[in-house]
Amino acid sequence: MAEMYENDEEISSQLLSELEKLKQEADRQKLEALLSGEADHNDAYMEIHAGSGGTEAQDWAEMLLRMYTRWAEKHKYKVEYEEETIGDVAGIKSVTIKIIGYNAYGWLKSESGVHRLVRISPFDSNARRHTSFASVNVYPVIDDEIQIDVNEADCRIDTYRASGAGGQHINKTDSAVRITHIPTGIVVQSQSQRSQFQNRETAWKMLKARLYEMELKKRADAAQAERDNQGDNGWGYQIRSYVLQPYKLIKDLRTEAETSDDRAVLDGDIDIFLSAYLAHIGEKGQA
């Protein structure tokens, strides 16, 4: 059709625009075809924790939270806040959100790891350059039909009042629940509901999801491929660097994908990195 209307600039331009949209959608569906993991289609829990460094790191953790919630909004995913601990001066110390939508875990699982920010600090009166770290952990929301057995005797359950300023995203109640799974050291907490019963139920679901994710990782490690690509998600394992000063460059250290458009990325345009990771995994799987 473009060839038929090549002399009609307006129609030709519209057709080429539609072809480009089709190409982008085809590329996206090709990548989504790689989301064949056991839990890739599920909703996802995402935890963000500020690293050492006080206000700087806590502000960076909040910037990451904004980046991911904006990404979710752009893709029409729903976001629910499960837990949030506000920073002492600015930002957040930690937050747990639930991202609801088809393939949420499959798209976001690659974000687990340490994210490094280099910038001129807005909190430093001498305008010095600072490096901040925050960790991200993504795990799937498990389906009701997946049975995860947890021995309550292996868990410590604490109830507490939501501490600090609380934040605008959660209900300020006295019914927050924290569950510690003693054998693994996993800690989950919920304070988003109004009753202790509801928070306890949510916390149990989160714990089961974490244990399920741990089992998935064990299987992946045994297969070796996921281990080679995902690496160690501890504090020493950086997956992405966000340099805002003295130059602008955001670079994924696993796939080499990079961009200088820091504003777009921090506003949620991270598909360049998510897509590059999926393509990277796909190529490795075919090799």
Side-chain angles (χ1 to χ4, degrees), residues 133-188:
F133 298 90
S135 70
V136 175
N137 184 29
V138 181
Y139 49 100
V141 177
I142 59 175
D143 296 327
D144 291 338
E145 60 266 21
I146 297 176
Q147 297 298 318
I148 303 294
D149 295 322
V150 182
N151 187 351
E152 291 195 29
D154 291 336
C155 300
R156 185 177 70 248
I157 302 176
D158 301 304
T159 58
Y160 63 99
R161 177 177 297 188
S163 60
Q168 68 270 34
H169 306 296
I170 58 174
N171 295 317
K172 303 170 181 63
T173 70
D174 299 336
S175 55
V177 174
R178 179 189 297 113
I179 300 178
T180 303
H181 188 247
I182 297 170
T184 61
I186 291 174
V187 179
V188 295

Side-chain angles (χ1 to χ4, degrees), residues 42-275:
N42 292 20
D43 302 335
Y45 287 118
M46 174 179 281
E47 296 178 353
I48 302 174
H49 295 273
S52 58
T55 301
E56 283 291 336
Q58 291 164 20
D59 186 56
W60 172 223
E62 186 171 47
M63 290 169 65
L64 285 174
L65 172 63
R66 179 183 181 277
M67 182 180 80
Y68 288 121
T69 54
R70 287 294 181 92
W71 176 86
E73 291 169 2
K74 292 175 189 291
H75 291 276
K76 303 188 185 313
Y77 288 148
K78 181 181 178 183
V79 176
E80 293 180 354
Y81 285 73
E82 300 295 345
E83 178 274 335
E84 184 180 30
T85 302
I86 300 300
D88 297 325
V89 177
I92 55 173
K93 294 180 179 178
S94 68
V95 67
T96 302
I97 59 175
K98 182 179 180 182
I99 301 174
I100 302 170
Y102 187 69
N103 282 339
Y105 176 67
W107 279 110
L108 292 172
K109 63 184 179 182
S110 63
E111 293 302 285
S112 290
V114 175
H115 297 246
R116 171 178 173 262
L117 172 71
V118 180
R119 64 171 176 174
I120 299 296
S121 170
F123 305 101
D124 188 335
S125 58
N126 294 317
R128 291 173 294 190
R129 193 163 67 242
H130 285 248
T131 300
S132 305
F133 298 90
S135 70
V136 175
N137 184 29
V138 181
Y139 49 100
V141 177
I142 59 175
D143 296 327
D144 291 338
E145 60 266 21
I146 297 176
Q147 297 298 318
I148 303 294
D149 295 322
V150 182
N151 187 351
E152 291 195 29
D154 291 336
C155 300
R156 185 177 70 248
I157 302 176
D158 301 304
T159 58
Y160 63 99
R161 177 177 297 188
S163 60
Q168 68 270 34
H169 306 296
I170 58 174
N171 295 317
K172 303 170 181 63
T173 70
D174 299 336
S175 55
V177 174
R178 179 189 297 113
I179 300 178
T180 303
H181 188 247
I182 297 170
T184 61
I186 291 174
V187 179
V188 295
Q189 50 193 1
S190 175
Q191 58 186 36
S192 61
Q193 306 298 324
R194 294 191 177 277
S195 75
Q196 185 182 121
F197 175 80
Q198 290 174 311
N199 281 323
R200 184 184 294 257
E201 184 179 23
T202 298
W204 275 117
K205 289 180 179 178
M206 293 168 66
L207 175 60
K208 290 180 179 180
R210 288 288 300 274
L211 292 171
Y212 179 61
E213 180 231 9
M214 181 178 291
E215 179 60 29
L216 289 179
K217 284 190 175 181
K218 285 181 181 178
R219 297 179 195 176
D221 286 345
Q224 193 67 38
E226 183 71 9
R227 180 197 219 169
D228 291 341
N229 292 295
Q230 193 90 356
D232 177 10
N233 286 332
W235 283 102
Y237 183 65
Q238 296 177 34
I239 66 166
R240 192 170 304 137
S241 177
Y242 304 71
V243 180
L244 308 186
Q245 290 288 343
Y247 53 87
K248 298 183 185 298
L249 180 66
I250 301 178
K251 181 174 183 178
D252 193 284
L253 306 179
R254 302 159 299 177
T255 64
E256 302 297 317
E258 62 182 49
T259 178
S260 59
D261 194 350
D262 60 312
R263 288 181 177 272
V265 170
L266 295 175
D267 198 36
D269 290 340
I270 59 172
D271 283 350
I272 179 179
F273 302 114
L274 305 184
S275 298

